[in-house]
Amino acid sequence: MSENRQPRPRGSRTLGSVREHDTGHDTGHDTGHVTGQDVGEDRRYEAVSSRDARFDGAFFFAVETTGIYCRPSCPAVTPKRKNVTFFPTAAAAQGHGFRACRRCRPDAVPGSAEWNVRADVVGRAMRMIGDGVVDREGVPGLAGRLGYSARQVQRLLTAELGAGPVALARAQRAHTARLLLQTTGLPVTEIAFACGCASVRQFNDTIRRIYARTPTELRTESGTGAGPRTALAAGVPLRLAHRGPYAAREVFDLLAAEALPGVEEVLGDPGARTYRRTLRLPYGTGLVSVDERSAGPWLEARIHLTDLRDLTTAVQRLRRLLDLDADPYAVAEHLGADPGTAPVLAELVAARPGVRSPGAADPEEFALRTVAGPDEAARLVLAHGTPLDTACGTLTHLFPEPAALTAHPEAGPLAAALTSGAVRLDPGADRDEAERALRAVPGVTAAQAALIRMRALGDPDVDPEGAARSERWRPWRSYAHRYLELSLGAVRPGRTGTMTP
């Protein structure tokens, strides 16, 4: 595979024209989104032949004659159909002995938007694996959070994704290892344990199996690093990939409007802003920064951590906050066909390609801020937040833990529910159950519960206003809400991303 494959013009072809069947999963509505399971093999091969980047992350293909696997948009020459095998996940391809392509780096694709949409066990499991639950708690911990046995979880994931939870977590660890090897000067031993490997030997074997190189070779090879190697003190530089157009200005406008003093800040002029914030993570603390301006289909970021074991979790939380795994093509295809709203939604979609529905870097923090309000949240940071050991500009604190706010008159009942586990807002939480639990908390309104579900749980199908007209926008109601919010100029400084009825 030595020749370049130039992308062929797609014309007006839409995702729907290559979709074989899509049930919309638990929504009962057609999502317009193409997944690895939904597209027939001939149509997947069509996407590979046309180097269609819209399918990157939705499925992977492997070439029997070379022993490598790639993303659909790989620039190498198209292999013969008879030599191609398709896999729903990178872990499944790795499990069949295929190595990651050096040219297209399939481990760096955006995550599948399917996991944001799906509310079933597999979708919830994938969101938790992405957050590092298997690395921290093992498969029994994942299964316990899902309410299933470890054997049931293994069977469900293997049947649908071609890989079990351990293999899926291993693929994620390998990607983290490559990032650290190629962007930092850390010793291999430190990287091995930071990635969750039990020993350096296990780390070496994993890298050889997935990349067909030793860690040293992976570190020294040219042309594949995300940037120059840096000292840990300078942070880990990253390129956070996204799919399709990305309306960065609208996302950064919202981040600037909601920025909580001491915890968040947005610096610079529109078009060249940097968002920075503190993070409370499982093993320590973090400070992250993301740039609005980008030279490609990614956002430039830098992450400073007190414990490198938190890197995977920090990256996933940034991705959820910025909605980087969304499928803007599916959203535009569905909402762009809306026959009539005032203002006309189809016109709004056409005028603003790539609008995202931002999530939350810390779900519990977002929920408490929503209930307390922006002014009170700022006071809570000063009174109950955890001061950083060393302030970084205006970033001085971590947002208070729920246990520190149980006596607060407005946020206290929700803080108590979060502390006791009566309300769960982790990435794998059952969204319906979480919303019901939120509504049962004194002082939490139905609109607040819906907003928390949309932002803190990253649900793409929520209308915080509960308007009857929104039924036809399923399963992308969160995006429709965002488009209408932008059209009315409803986001103002200090607000928390909700539109006034």
Side-chain angles (χ1 to χ4, degrees):
M1 297 176 68
S2 59
E3 301 176 20
N4 284 341
R5 300 193 300 150
Q6 297 301 318
R8 300 171 187 167
R10 290 193 293 266
S12 61
R13 189 181 71 155
T14 66
L15 288 174
S17 68
V18 294
R19 189 172 68 242
E20 181 176 71
H21 178 67
D22 192 338
T23 62
H25 300 295
D26 291 356
T27 65
H29 296 261
D30 187 354
T31 66
H33 170 64
V34 181
T35 70
Q37 285 71 43
D38 298 328
V39 185
E41 291 199 352
D42 288 343
R43 293 175 180 177
R44 294 182 202 172
Y45 187 70
E46 178 187 346
V48 170
S49 299
S50 60
R51 302 126 194 120
D52 198 332
R54 295 176 297 176
F55 293 87
D56 287 352
F59 67 85
F60 300 83
F61 74 94
V63 185
E64 299 286 348
T65 52
T66 62
I68 67 170
Y69 75 93
C70 305
R71 63 171 79 191
S73 66
C74 182
V77 66
T78 305
K80 294 180 179 179
R81 173 66 185 87
K82 66 180 182 180
N83 295 327
V84 173
T85 302
F86 297 99
F87 295 97
T89 61
Q94 294 164 13
H96 282 76
F98 293 99
R99 309 181 307 275
C101 175
R102 299 189 187 191
R103 299 187 65 181
C104 71
R105 289 194 297 168
D107 60 335
V109 299
S112 173
E114 184 176 7
W115 312 131
N116 293 339
V117 177
R118 292 179 59 167
D120 63 357
V121 173
V122 173
R124 292 169 57 203
M126 287 299 289
R127 291 195 290 273
M128 284 195 279
I129 292 171
D131 199 56
V133 169
V134 171
D135 294 333
R136 295 191 298 271
E137 304 174 20
V139 177
L142 173 68
R145 287 171 175 261
L146 293 169
Y148 284 73
S149 70
R151 181 175 297 180
Q152 287 174 310
V153 172
Q154 175 75 28
R155 184 174 68 250
L156 285 168
L157 293 180
T158 302
E160 184 160 345
L161 305 178
V166 171
L168 291 163
R170 184 191 304 121
Q172 184 169 263
R173 287 197 297 269
H175 178 220
T176 300
R178 182 178 65 77
L179 287 175
L180 292 174
L181 284 168
Q182 297 181 335
T183 63
T184 77
L186 288 171
V188 169
T189 302
E190 290 187 34
I191 293 175
F193 292 109
C195 293
C197 291
S199 66
V200 175
R201 179 177 180 179
Q202 183 189 64
F203 176 75
N204 291 336
D205 290 344
T206 297
I207 295 299
R208 287 195 189 96
R209 179 179 180 183
I210 294 176
Y211 297 108
R213 281 97 86 203
T214 66
T216 300
E217 291 169 340
L218 194 63
R219 166 167 273 173
T220 56
E221 70 178 15
S222 62
T224 60
R229 285 187 294 172
T230 65
L232 181 59
V236 179
L238 301 170
R239 285 180 174 177
L240 303 175
H242 57 76
R243 181 180 292 102
Y246 188 85
R249 189 187 75 176
E250 287 80 356
V251 171
F252 276 72
D253 284 347
L254 181 64
L255 294 175
E258 295 181 350
L260 181 62
V263 174
E264 300 171 291
E265 66 178 5
V266 176
L267 306 173
D269 297 323
R273 290 171 288 190
T274 297
Y275 169 75
R276 303 171 72 235
R277 71 155 293 146
T278 62
L279 283 177
R280 187 187 304 278
L281 297 162
Y283 295 107
T285 62
L287 193 154
V288 299
S289 64
V290 185
D291 294 334
E292 179 181 10
R293 179 180 293 168
S294 176
W298 60 78
L299 296 181
E300 300 280 356
R302 189 172 292 271
I303 300 180
H304 301 256
L305 300 169
T306 58
D307 192 317
L308 275 174
R309 290 177 295 176
D310 284 322
L311 180 59
T312 296
T313 302
V315 169
Q316 289 302 314
R317 293 187 183 180
L318 266 183
R319 296 192 67 84
R320 287 196 294 273
L321 170 67
L322 301 167
D323 197 21
L324 295 175
D325 293 329
D327 186 343
Y329 302 110
V331 173
E333 181 181 16
H334 186 72
L335 299 183
D338 186 68
T341 345
V344 178
L345 188 56
E347 294 178 2
L348 300 176
V349 172
R352 294 178 184 264
V355 163
R356 295 306 205 264
S357 176
D362 187 320
E364 293 184 344
E365 172 193 311
F366 181 86
L368 292 166
R369 287 170 59 174
T370 298
V371 173
D375 294 336
E376 184 60 21
R379 287 191 286 270
L380 291 176
V381 169
L382 294 176
H384 303 284
T386 304
L388 298 179
D389 291 338
T390 303
C392 185
T394 66
L395 302 182
T396 58
H397 288 76
L398 300 171
F399 190 81
E401 293 185 90
L405 302 179
T406 54
H408 189 269
E410 286 85 24
L414 177 57
L418 291 169
T419 302
S420 69
V423 172
R424 278 187 53 202
L425 299 177
D426 60 80
D430 183 294
R431 290 163 173 166
D432 289 335
E433 290 183 5
E435 185 172 7
R436 283 193 294 269
L438 284 165
R439 289 187 178 211
V441 175
V444 177
T445 67
Q448 288 173 334
L451 180 63
I452 292 168
R453 174 173 180 160
M454 180 175 76
R455 296 285 302 276
L457 295 180
D459 191 339
D461 190 31
V462 177
D463 178 13
E465 298 177 20
R469 66 179 181 177
S470 69
E471 286 300 307
R472 64 175 177 269
W473 301 332
R474 285 180 178 273
W476 308 115
R477 290 184 297 170
S478 298
Y479 293 90
H481 171 83
R482 183 79 178 116
Y483 272 110
L484 295 175
E485 182 178 63
L486 288 167
S487 74
L488 298 177
V491 178
R492 298 187 295 272
R495 301 200 61 198
T496 310
T498 182
M499 189 165 55
T500 302

